[in-house]
Amino acid sequence: MSVWNPDNIRDIAESVGITNLSHDVTENLARDVEYRVAQVLEESLKSMRHGKRTVLTTQDISQALRTLDVEPLYGYESLRPLRFGEASLGPGQPLFYVEDEEVDFEKLINAPLPKVPREVSFTGHWLAVEGVQPSIPQNPTAADARSLELVSKGPNANQTLQAMSGTGDVAVKPLVKHVLSKELQLYFEKVCSAFLDETSEDYRTSGYASLREDPGLHQLVPYFVQFIAEKVTHSLKDIFVLTQVMHMAEALVQNPSLYVDPYVASLVPSILTCLIGRQLGGAAELAEQFALRDLAASLLGLIAKKYSQSSHMLKPRLVRSCLKTFLDPSKPFGAHYGAVIGLQAVGGTEVVRVLIIPNLAEYSKLLSDGIEDAARRPAAERVLNALVGVLASLRDGQASLTNGHPAIVTEDLRARLAEKVGDLIASRIAEANEVHLAQVVLEA
């Protein structure tokens, strides 16, 4: 039996169009309402006691509803407790109501009218135009700027900063406790120094193996990601450092005990820089630069394959970045090489068929100009070989189309191929006598 009257449940149901509720349903709903009301009152009393008060207010009820994840009631805020009056409708039927303040009509009529409120208006203004702040009343004036310059700055500006810098007498307790143990800090320093040690290859190999296989390194993942980003940003001319931090990123991704998903967005920019960066390694040999781009492409393909399920926009963003670089004629051939192998590593043969092949006819002209230039010829040759390589990936798993005839690229086949992928790439395929590859490219 519920203390809450089931007739109230039936009246509310009929008011919203629900009729013929069974007796069991109304009884169960009444019990549930009783339980919920008691729960709200209990939370409200907790709020009242924490406020050192003895009178329950509407703010306590709203706070209780907010604590229970229920939308609070609106329109019942009051700065003073409500006064409830009681009226009797009959024997045993009291009615409670909120007592309203009595108003004297004569005073109300003779009272002066309030001021007319201002209309709501909105105006827009330019805070700055191309970095220059216009001189308008809404923006700070030069005098305001000078007054801000007179404000004390630096570590001694306030007591908190003084305490943090060690120059003040106020002791401020840090808000966040440093939870990284001394052992993990020492491990982090040793691993970073091992990766950047040019004198001992065994030391680097042991550091790589430890980072790839050791469990219990979860707390160090953000520190390693930040270390990789800093080294890539400040060591773009050092090919050894760039290569080693890519190996470090590879070890992090391949470690089965680490949860790297939240840090992929911070790790990818460093890898893209080593893949499609304009200048990498400074005066390093061309083979080392392209080896770094190959390593970054394989790592990017591994990340796209492993984390595309948890981040659905990862692959489209990577493909969009590589395609933008590939279609930019102002970028050097090294960046184009990284974009081509990056597209193939991230998207596979489908990206080659949909995004690379339709742009080869136009790109072949740029590539021909690069091969004719003696200074750019080595890099252009690398791009040409990469394009032929990604086109060759289309024929993997397909049967040969010779049908017993000699495998010879005819002039008609070469002309159709040149129309689709450009003269330079068609000539390279014809020189290798790749009839199967030519047929696959034409069918793509």
Side-chain angles (χ1 to χ4, degrees), residues 275 297 300 318-324 326 337-349 351-352 355-356 390:
L275 177 68
L300 204 64
L318 295 178
V319 170
R320 192 180 301 115
S321 299
C322 294
L323 183 63
K324 182 180 179 181
F326 177 61
Y337 174 86
V340 169
I341 61 176
L343 285 171
Q344 198 252 348
V346 173
T349 57
V351 169
V352 176
L355 298 179
I356 294 182
V390 297

Side-chain angles (χ1 to χ4, degrees), residues 254-334:
Q254 290 183 346
N255 192 326
S257 302
L258 297 183
Y259 183 64
V260 193
D261 296 58
Y263 308 101
V264 170
S266 302
L267 192 61
V268 164
S270 302
I271 302 173
L272 281 176
T273 301
C274 294
L275 177 68
I276 57 178
R278 181 179 290 271
Q279 295 292 338
L280 297 176
E285 294 184 2
L286 195 65
E288 295 180 351
Q289 298 179 15
F290 282 89
L292 173 62
R293 297 184 191 273
D294 291 334
L295 175 60
S298 63
L299 180 55
L300 204 64
L302 177 62
I303 289 177
K305 181 180 179 181
K306 190 173 182 179
Y307 303 107
S308 59
Q309 296 297 327
S310 59
S311 179
H312 298 292
M313 292 302 295
L314 178 61
K315 275 189 177 181
R317 289 180 178 178
L318 295 178
V319 170
R320 192 180 301 115
S321 299
C322 294
L323 183 63
K324 182 180 179 181
T325 302
F326 177 61
L327 298 180
D328 189 354
S330 63
K331 295 292 181 68
F333 284 115

Side-chain angles (χ1 to χ4, degrees), residues 188-224:
F188 176 76
E189 295 175 0
K190 292 293 184 180
V191 169
C192 293
S193 61
F195 271 92
L196 301 182
D197 189 358
E198 300 185 34
T199 60
S200 176
E201 185 177 355
D202 295 337
Y203 194 23
R204 296 197 300 270
T205 305
S206 62
Y208 176 80
S210 175
L211 189 58
R212 185 180 59 183
E213 299 173 359
D214 287 353
L217 305 179
H218 305 280
Q219 292 178 308
L220 291 178
V221 173
Y223 294 93
F224 281 121

Side-chain angles (χ1 to χ4, degrees), residues 107-426:
K107 290 184 179 179
L108 183 63
I109 293 173
N110 296 329
L113 294 176
K115 294 182 179 180
V116 179
R118 295 182 179 180
E119 294 183 1
V120 178
S121 61
F122 299 93
T123 58
H125 73 280
W126 288 100
L127 181 63
V129 179
E130 295 183 355
V132 179
Q133 181 175 282
S135 298
I136 56 178
Q138 289 84 354
N139 287 335
T141 61
D144 296 334
R146 284 194 297 269
S147 64
L148 289 177
E149 292 178 357
L150 298 177
V151 177
S152 177
K153 299 181 179 64
N156 299 324
N158 55 51
Q159 294 181 347
T160 304
L161 293 179
Q162 289 180 18
M164 294 175 64
S165 61
T167 58
D169 298 330
V170 182
V172 178
K173 186 178 180 180
L175 296 179
V176 181
K177 184 179 179 180
H178 192 66
V179 295
L180 201 62
S181 63
K182 292 291 184 63
E183 291 79 8
L184 284 178
Q185 296 180 37
L186 182 60
Y187 176 85
F188 176 76
E189 295 175 0
K190 292 293 184 180
V191 169
C192 293
S193 61
F195 271 92
L196 301 182
D197 189 358
E198 300 185 34
T199 60
S200 176
E201 185 177 355
D202 295 337
Y203 194 23
R204 296 197 300 270
T205 305
S206 62
Y208 176 80
S210 175
L211 189 58
R212 185 180 59 183
E213 299 173 359
D214 287 353
L217 305 179
H218 305 280
Q219 292 178 308
L220 291 178
V221 173
Y223 294 93
F224 281 121
V225 172
Q226 184 181 7
F227 177 79
I228 293 171
E230 289 179 356
K231 289 301 178 182
V232 170
T233 303
H234 302 292
S235 305
L236 287 176
K237 295 184 179 181
D238 194 334
I239 196 70
F240 174 78
V241 174
L242 295 178
T243 304
Q244 293 308 309
V245 294
M246 287 298 101
H247 284 302
M248 180 181 289
E250 183 183 20
L252 287 175
V253 174
Q254 290 183 346
N255 192 326
S257 302
L258 297 183
Y259 183 64
V260 193
D261 296 58
Y263 308 101
V264 170
S266 302
L267 192 61
V268 164
S270 302
I271 302 173
L272 281 176
T273 301
C274 294
L275 177 68
I276 57 178
R278 181 179 290 271
Q279 295 292 338
L280 297 176
E285 294 184 2
L286 195 65
E288 295 180 351
Q289 298 179 15
F290 282 89
L292 173 62
R293 297 184 191 273
D294 291 334
L295 175 60
S298 63
L299 180 55
L300 204 64
L302 177 62
I303 289 177
K305 181 180 179 181
K306 190 173 182 179
Y307 303 107
S308 59
Q309 296 297 327
S310 59
S311 179
H312 298 292
M313 292 302 295
L314 178 61
K315 275 189 177 181
R317 289 180 178 178
L318 295 178
V319 170
R320 192 180 301 115
S321 299
C322 294
L323 183 63
K324 182 180 179 181
T325 302
F326 177 61
L327 298 180
D328 189 354
S330 63
K331 295 292 181 68
F333 284 115
H336 291 168
Y337 174 86
V340 169
I341 61 176
L343 285 171
Q344 198 252 348
V346 173
T349 57
E350 188 64 25
V351 169
V352 176
R353 186 180 295 108
V354 176
L355 298 179
I356 294 182
I357 291 181
N359 295 295
L360 286 184
E362 188 68 25
Y363 184 77
S364 181
K365 302 175 184 177
L366 178 66
L367 200 57
S368 300
D369 296 338
I371 290 181
E372 293 175 359
D373 188 353
R376 298 191 298 166
R377 183 179 303 163
E381 286 284 350
R382 295 267 186 170
V383 178
L384 179 58
N385 294 333
L387 288 173
V388 176
V390 297
L391 292 178
S393 65
L394 296 176
R395 66 182 177 184
D396 294 343
Q398 296 188 11
S400 178
L401 304 177
T402 57
N403 293 327
H405 298 284
I408 300 174
V409 178
T410 62
E411 289 297 328
D412 178 61
L413 182 61
R414 185 185 183 283
R416 288 189 293 135
L417 190 62
E419 184 179 355
K420 187 163 187 177
V421 299
D423 292 330
L424 185 61
I425 301 175

Side-chain angles (χ1 to χ4, degrees), residues 27-103:
E27 284 288 344
N28 291 331
L29 286 176
R31 292 193 191 96
D32 187 68
V33 170
E34 179 184 349
Y35 169 74
R36 300 299 176 185
V37 171
Q39 191 178 19
V40 171
L41 288 176
E42 184 179 354
E43 292 293 333
S44 304
L45 291 174
K46 289 181 182 179
S47 178
M48 179 193 71
R49 295 190 188 99
H50 282 298
K52 307 296 183 182
R53 289 179 281 102
T54 57
V55 178
L56 194 68
T57 64
T58 55
Q59 285 84 355
D60 297 328
I61 303 293
S62 298
Q63 185 63 35
L65 294 174
R66 197 173 290 110
T67 304
L68 296 173
D69 198 17
V70 180
E71 185 177 1
L73 300 177
Y74 300 101
Y76 288 92
E77 296 292 333
S78 176
L79 298 179
R80 56 183 178 179
L82 299 178
R83 294 182 301 171
F84 294 95
E86 181 180 355
S88 179
L89 299 178
Q93 295 185 4
L95 175 65
F96 294 93
Y97 62 93
V98 178
E99 292 184 354
D100 293 330
E101 182 181 357
E102 294 183 0
V103 179

